[in-house]
Structure formats: structure tokens, C-alpha cells
Amino acid sequence: MESWILTSLAVLRVAQYAAPVPTLVSMISTESVLRAVALLGGFLMAAGWSAFFFWSAHRSEPAAAVDVAVICLVQVITAVVLGPGWTTWQNWTYGPAVGAGMAAVLYLHGAARWVIAAAPVVLYGVVPLVVADGLDIAGLLSGVGGMIAFITLASYVVHVLRALAREVDEARAAESAAVAREAAAQAGFEERKRQLRGLHDTALTTLELIAGGALAVDSAEIRSRCARDADFLRSLLMGSRVDAPTDLTAVLAQVLHDRSALGLRVHPLFDEVPGSTPPDVVEAISLATREALNNVSKHAGVTQAWVTAIGMENGGVRVAVVDRGAGFDPVTTTERGMMRSIRHRMEEVGGSAAIDSELGEGTSVELTWPA
Amino acid sequence: MIEIGVIDDEGFYRDVMGRWLDDGDEKIELVAATATVAEYLALPRRAPIVILDLNLADGSMFTTNIRSLIAAGHQVVVFSAWAEHSDVEAATKAGAETYLHKRTTDTATLASVVREVAAGESPMTVDHAFALSRNKNCPELSLRQRQVLETYGSGVTLKATARRLGMSESTVKEHIRRIKAKYAEIGRPIGYRGDFGRRLAEDNGPAVTPAE
């Protein structure tokens, strides 16, 4: 908003200096060389100052007081040069004086700015009284009245614009604060939902299984389930992340859950997945699985998929993402972008990825770590 | 029309099963639904194909349940919310056609399993194949049969399984049938010598006359 005001004022100032050029030209051609040089010098000095004034105003506080002083000086010089014989039309400083007055009321502070802004107006009315002989009082008065009107109007318009801009800024700040609070609340809610989901997937299920008689209470299976659930509950109490980044089963379960929420039914086929796998491997496998499932959603044209995760004797793991959808012809289809990035992810952590597909036979992506 | 029966201790499944399977090319009709095997076998009108819940509230052993139903001439499809690999193995040994997971099975899968059983085919679900492929105490399966279980048990289509293993689709189906037969063979008691030839005949093997 401020830069727009300054630019408007600069455009106005250019017009204020351009308008009197014909007047100056006619005066220079009729006056003596000395007078002509003095008039032209005053004009060029004032115009040059204005250029500098606006150039520097873009970088620091506009030097409006100096602006007023310069135009006052030029007003006096012009009057002295023209002497007793001048007439009102010859006073080219009218426009620039209005411009300087505006700059003063817009960029100076307190009541003093009105006093400073009044200086060129007063000079415009008083100097002719001192130096000239034949006076056009009515012309002078209308000139002064016009100046006052212009300057007051500019002050009012800019005041309104600045108030509007301030309101918009305040509204924007309030809005972004509200958005930030909303996001924080949502994150807290998501975290709680995630914890509750974790409870549902672990402790609650185990208890239900025992209650339903599906699991013999005194079995190795139930003991290992209980141990895992206890770890989970402890991690909640300690405020650590629910999906410990080394637990591939938990991370993959989350991936499957997310995909299911997005409309793809994913059947987990997990067996003997190692309890702890290096975090970077867990991340690579989970991202690769996500990507493969995304691809099922995008290209396979089916609503279900199978994810097999099997631990291997060497402590490694094999994950397969399989769909029964459209598939593609591996001969005519160049390797898809997703496969390149999946392969890259797996190779970065010392694993490998393979894809198998044929038109109409679905697609299967197999991730193996270590390779 | 295919007739089915349901044995489930949860009234919900007894109620909705018929409605679930109602649509399709060939109508599947639920003609009998009970909470226990004993109640089912006591019915005057029963369907040949039975969908059996693995864990019934009456505390009966599911292997006994499957065997009783088969002995009464039924074909059993096991439908369960929870099953260990060893449970699936035991059910297969007891002679169940296949195993369906309640949580992951959709209507289409259940209907297609029922149709295959009715057509005299030998269906196997992905969950069933996966459980058997992960089973440590499996009967002697050939390398090819293991490969079939592993590949098909990861969700790969029958067609893609055949292509990947370099065999025909019908060979894959035949392997699946033989795998189930091998399990059932182990689980089946051979009471007297005469049973032996009959069992082999049931397996479509060469008819053998027991030596006197």
C-alpha cells in the first residue's frame, strides 16, 4: 500500500514538472539570457531534486521537509528573477508547490507537518505581494484555495487507504494465527487418534482374542503378544512415537491402514517379520510399499491388494505388494517411474526390488533386504 | 441354484450370509443356519456345502466339527475371524475345502469359493495358501508345490502364478488339489486295510486292490 502511495505521488510529481515546461519555454525565449538561465536553473534544480527525493524515498524515510525547503527556495528565486513585471501565469512553481505540500502532510508527523506544508502555499500568495506591481488578487486567492484543497484531499484519501490497509493486515495476521492454532489442534487430535488406533490394534485385540477363547491363555503366542502390547503401552506412557521406527510390522500396518482409509483394501500376509530392523531399512521398505500401493490405486483398476511380509533366516525380510488388476506388458512398457524410485530406495539401504507383470495378470512388486 | 448352510455362533452371520450371496449369475441360497454342528446335523433339510465358523461358542473342537460334517457327506468351507497357521493346517488335514478370513473376505470371494466347490473344483484362498506356505509341519510337498503355495499365497493370480512357474494354469490347479489331498491324507485315519484303496480312489489315484 505504501509503495503504491509513493508511486502515485511520483507520477503526480512528473506531471507537475511537465505541465509548466511550455510556460518556461515561452518565458526563456522572451526574457534576457541571464534571466532565462536563472529560471531554467531553478527549474532543473527543483526537478532534479524531485527525482532524487523519490529515488531515495524507496529506500528510507522520504525527506519531505527538504522537499518543501527546495520548492520554497525556487519560489523565491523565480519571483526575484521575474521582478516587478511578472504576471500570475508565469509562476510555474504552482504544481510542484502542491506536490511538496502533499509530501509534507503524507510523510511528516504531528501538527508541524501542516505548518511545513503551508509554507509553499503561503509563499505562493505572499511573494507576489512583495515583488510585483500589478496584482491579480482574485487569481492569487483562487490559486491558494486550490492548493489547500488539493493537499487536504490527498491527506484524506491516503489516510483512508492506510486505515484500510492496516485493517486488512490485522485480519490477515488473525487469520494466520487461527490457521496455526487449528493445525496444532488437528495435530494433537491426529496424535491421539493414532494412539487410540494403536491401542485398538494391539492391547484391545489381544484382550478380545483371549476373551473370545481364540487364544489359549498359557501359550507362547499369547506371551509374545502380551510382551509386544506391553512395549506399546509403555511407549505411550513415555510419549515416544507409537510406531517405533525399527518395528517393520507396526510401520507396515500403518501403511496398510492409510491405504485402506483411501479406498484400497489391503490384505496383510505377515509372518515371522523380524522385531527389529535398521530404521533406514524400515523407512525404505515402508516408502516403497506406499509407492507400490499408490500405483495399484492409480493403474491397476482394482480395489484390493495383498501385502506379504516374511522374515528370512538371515534376519532379512521379503515384502511383496501384489494386485490382480490390469497389469502391463513388460516388453512394450518401459520401466515406470515408480519402479525406478522404488529400486533406488531399496538399493540405497542394500536391498533390491523386482517387478513382475503381464497384461491382464496383475502386478507384483517384490522388495528384498538384504539384496 | 446352489444351496448352502451356515454354522456360526454369531447370529449376525447366520442372518446376513444368505442376503450377501443372494445376487450373482447362479443363485446361492441359504437353506439352513445353526449355531452348532450337532444342531445342523439334526436338521431334516441340509445343504451339502457348509460354511463353518472355526471357533464355535459351544467349545467344540473345530477338527472334530469338520470331520463330523464330512462324514455326514458335506463339503466344508471354514470361515473364521482368527486362525493361526497351525489352525489352518489342522482344518486342511481334517478335510476342509478351504479357509476364508472373516475380516478380509468380501462377498465376491465367498461366492466364488462356494461356486467352485459346487462345481466340483478345488478352490484355495490366498489366506489359505499363505498359511500353508508358512507351515513348518507340512507334509512332504514337492518343490513345485511349495512354489505354487508361495507364489499363489502372496495374492498373485492363478494365471500369473502359472506363467512365473512356467506351467499351465490347469497344472497349477492340479497342484493345489494335490496339496490339499496330501494334507487330508495325513489327517485321515485309516481304520482298516480296506480303507486304503478307497482313499486312493477318492484321491483319483489308481485303483488299488489291497493284497490279501
Side-chain angles (χ1 to χ4, degrees):
Chain A
M1 178 53 77
E2 281 305 319
S3 82
W4 185 83
I5 292 172
L6 191 65
T7 305
S8 305
L9 205 59
V11 169
L12 185 62
R13 184 71 64 98
V14 168
Q16 285 162 341
Y17 275 91
V21 166
T23 310
L24 275 166
V25 170
S26 77
M27 281 196 289
I28 288 164
S29 56
T30 54
E31 298 289 338
S32 69
V33 176
L34 189 69
R35 284 184 169 183
V37 169
L39 283 171
L40 196 61
F43 175 81
L44 290 178
M45 183 189 76
W49 157 257
S50 286
F52 173 78
F53 171 75
F54 283 102
W55 175 78
S56 68
H58 272 291
R59 283 153 192 78
S60 58
E61 187 82 358
V66 180
D67 196 37
V68 169
V70 166
I71 200 64
C72 288
L73 179 64
V74 172
Q75 280 176 313
V76 173
I77 290 173
T78 307
V80 169
V81 169
L82 291 174
W86 91 333
T87 50
T88 310
W89 68 266
Q90 287 178 307
N91 193 357
W92 64 268
T93 62
Y94 181 81
V98 171
M102 285 178 179
V105 294
L106 298 187
Y107 291 113
L108 298 177
H109 306 283
R113 68 200 161 113
W114 288 106
V115 178
I116 294 171
V121 179
V122 171
L123 276 180
Y124 177 84
V126 172
V127 169
L129 291 177
V130 178
V131 296
D133 290 339
L135 283 176
D136 174 13
I137 301 289
L140 280 180
L141 282 179
S142 77
V144 168
M147 289 171 102
I148 293 170
F150 277 133
I151 293 170
T152 314
L153 181 68
S155 163
Y156 175 72
V157 168
V158 169
H159 174 76
V160 169
L161 286 176
R162 281 176 174 162
L164 275 175
R166 206 163 39 242
E167 265 176 40
V168 169
D169 283 350
E170 279 164 8
R172 239 183 237 149
E175 188 188 327
S176 67
V179 166
R181 269 198 310 278
E182 180 67 22
Q186 187 63 30
F189 176 65
E190 290 296 333
E191 175 67 20
R192 235 171 67 79
K193 250 181 24 189
R194 211 159 54 81
Q195 292 178 348
L196 287 177
R197 200 158 57 220
L199 276 177
H200 177 268
D201 292 345
T202 57
L204 181 61
T205 303
T206 305
L207 289 172
E208 281 175 349
L209 288 171
I210 297 171
L215 282 175
V217 174
D218 188 27
S219 67
E221 162 72 13
I222 201 77
R223 273 194 297 276
S224 83
R225 276 193 76 97
C226 287
R228 212 172 60 218
D229 296 353
D231 284 346
F232 171 78
L233 291 173
R234 189 170 301 283
S235 76
L236 278 190
L237 289 178
M238 289 163 60
S240 64
R241 282 182 60 81
V242 172
D243 42 347
T246 59
D247 185 352
L248 186 59
T249 308
V251 173
L252 280 180
Q254 185 65 55
V255 172
L256 267 54
H257 182 93
D258 290 348
R259 287 317 308 181
S260 299
L262 296 173
L264 184 69
R265 227 150 45 82
V266 187
H267 306 298
L269 299 166
F270 294 179
D271 199 39
E272 294 180 340
V273 179
S276 180
T277 310
D280 55 334
V281 176
V282 171
E283 194 189 7
I285 290 177
S286 78
L287 287 174
T289 304
R290 258 182 216 281
E291 218 160 333
L293 288 172
N294 273 337
N295 215 52
V296 174
S297 301
K298 276 191 219 150
H299 301 295
V302 288
T303 55
Q304 58 179 343
W306 285 263
V307 170
T308 312
I310 291 169
M312 297 189 293
E313 279 175 13
N314 61 359
V317 65
R318 192 173 64 80
V319 174
V321 179
V322 176
D323 71 71
R324 295 182 162 184
F328 59 90
D329 184 347
V331 178
T332 58
T333 310
T334 49
E335 188 167 271
R336 292 180 179 176
M338 75 102 189
M339 199 50 214
R340 258 201 307 282
S341 89
I342 286 177
R343 198 189 298 278
H344 184 67
R345 274 187 213 292
M346 290 306 295
E347 282 168 1
E348 259 185 345
V349 296
S352 65
I355 191 164
D356 177 86
S357 187
E358 194 62 62
L359 267 180
E361 294 184 13
T363 302
S364 138
V365 175
E366 256 185 63
L367 316 169
T368 311
W369 178 85
Chain B
M1 186 173 67
I2 301 169
E3 292 185 344
I4 58 161
V6 171
I7 305 176
D8 198 310
D9 54 354
E10 288 179 75
F12 172 71
Y13 284 102
R14 294 201 300 274
D15 288 344
V16 299
M17 194 72 77
R19 272 165 239 170
W20 276 355
L21 300 176
D22 204 21
D23 51 356
D25 311 327
E26 191 180 1
K27 200 167 149 62
I28 297 175
E29 196 178 0
L30 179 69
V31 298
T34 63
T36 68
V37 173
E39 281 167 29
Y40 189 82
L41 291 176
L43 292 176
R45 188 192 174 203
R46 307 184 304 243
I49 299 171
V50 178
I51 295 170
L52 172 72
D53 182 22
L54 207 61
N55 301 295
L56 293 177
D58 63 353
S60 55
M61 287 280 294
F62 67 85
T63 46
T64 315
N65 287 340
I66 295 169
R67 287 206 175 87
S68 318
L69 287 164
I70 290 175
H74 294 287
Q75 287 163 303
V76 181
V77 173
V78 173
F79 192 51
S80 168
W82 175 265
E84 291 292 325
H85 298 334
S86 57
D87 296 339
V88 177
E89 176 209 343
T92 314
K93 280 182 180 169
E97 289 293 330
T98 191
Y99 152 75
L100 291 153
H101 197 289
K102 269 185 185 171
R103 205 183 298 172
T104 60
T105 298
D106 54 13
T107 321
T109 311
L110 186 54
S112 89
V113 163
V114 167
R115 287 178 209 289
E116 281 179 68
V117 172
E121 291 178 35
S122 184
M124 184 181 279
T125 62
V126 172
D127 287 313
H128 192 180
F130 179 71
L132 294 186
S133 78
R134 302 301 299 164
N135 175 22
K136 297 285 184 297
N137 328 305
C138 56
E140 290 298 313
L141 296 179
S142 69
L143 177 67
R144 299 303 265 169
Q145 288 169 343
R146 286 179 176 286
Q147 288 172 332
V148 165
L149 283 182
E150 272 168 28
T151 308
Y152 186 71
S154 67
V156 175
T157 56
L158 215 59
K159 208 171 167 188
T161 304
R163 174 175 51 75
R164 282 165 72 162
L165 298 178
M167 52 177 77
S168 71
E169 236 178 293
S170 60
T171 310
V172 175
K173 282 187 177 173
E174 181 58 19
H175 274 304
I176 288 174
R177 199 190 60 74
R178 281 177 190 274
I179 290 163
K180 290 203 293 191
K182 260 187 186 171
Y183 271 91
E185 185 64 44
I186 290 172
R188 199 162 38 196
I190 299 181
Y192 59 100
R193 293 171 74 199
D195 270 355
F196 190 69
R198 215 166 66 219
R199 300 285 182 242
L200 281 174
E202 281 171 15
D203 289 348
N204 297 329
V208 173
T209 313
E212 291 301 326

